[in-house]
Amino acid sequence: MEQERKIPAHVAIIMDGNGRWARKRGLPRTMGHAQGARVVEQILEDADHMGIRYLTVYAFSTENWTRPDAEVKALMNLLRTYMKTSLAKCAKNNVRIRVIGDKTRLDPDLQASIAHLEQETAGNTGISFQIAINYGGRDELVRACRKIAGEIADGSVSPEAVDADLIDAHLDTAGLPDPDLLIRTCGEERISNFLLWQIAYSELYFSPLAWPDFSKEELERAIDAYNHRERRYGGLVG
Ligand code: FPP
């Protein structure tokens, strides 16, 4: 009997290649990001229909501030628009949104729209959508260490109580399961500081497609590849 296909509960995506996609078409890089934002919305819907429970995307890294001002502004404006326009869709589709990363460096109006969207969708029980903004895996671990150090200093946590679960609980992703599958698009085979702690046992899938060309079919291919992997978590074959 053919085995049933497993759907990963949590899929994380490094959306790469917006700039290359635009350049190939003689368009400004920002058009690549705009098309990328449309694809994010479509893939969220597709992931939901496929039964994926958590989707996490890398929208803006702690290193992306070094890009030209106009590009940073264009990316922030796309995120601003997304936060403002997706409330009705989230309500309709029962989507919960969370932003991971250091939000304190974002413009106050963007921080406010994020807080509003997070609050309004907090009770939704469908797919959980995490958007990483001003996110870096090392930065997240540094912030977690600082929080834990503060708790040790004020006596609420003892040094012996620091274990993997406690660290997990101080990350931006607290309460979320680790990604089962991490996808990176556009042929690059790097992690680029994304979810460093959380991907310890994730399966990796590198897609040749630029993010604006990513599709439901390519997501299906990634899940097929995931189904051919044997996850051992450091143990022996069962
Ligand atoms: C990488 O392509 C992509 C980014 C740095 C930005 C990703 C952002 C979006 C897809 C849009 C906003 C998202 C949401 C959630 C609405 P690149 O610019 O590094 O491409 P390149 O390597 O080809 O230059």
Side-chain angles (χ1 to χ4, degrees), residues 12-74:
I13 308 183
I14 302 174
M15 310 180 288
D16 199 6
N18 292 349
R20 276 164 281 176
W21 181 91
R23 195 175 57 216
K24 234 167 112 180
R25 287 160 181 77
L27 299 169
R29 293 176 57 80
T30 49
M31 295 285 275
H33 296 314
Q35 182 58 24
R38 285 181 210 112
V39 171
V40 174
E41 297 207 42
Q42 185 56 50
I43 291 297
L44 173 62
E45 263 187 63
D46 295 334
D48 189 13
H49 292 155
M50 287 162 75
I52 292 166
R53 303 290 302 147
Y54 303 86
L55 179 70
T56 302
V57 297
Y58 207 177
F60 194 92
S61 74
T62 45
E63 289 71 38
N64 285 155
W65 297 107
T66 59
R67 292 191 176 200
D69 280 353
E71 183 170 345
V72 169
K73 212 172 201 174

Side-chain angles (χ1 to χ4, degrees), residues 186-215:
C186 213
E188 308 294 347
E189 302 192 355
R190 287 191 289 277
I191 300 302
S192 299
N193 204 12
F194 194 40
L195 302 175
L196 294 179
W197 171 274
Q198 298 88 337
I199 60 165
Y201 291 104
S202 304
E203 296 295 336
L204 310 180
Y205 179 83
F206 299 106
S207 165
L209 299 183
W211 176 251
D213 287 329
F214 198 80
S215 59

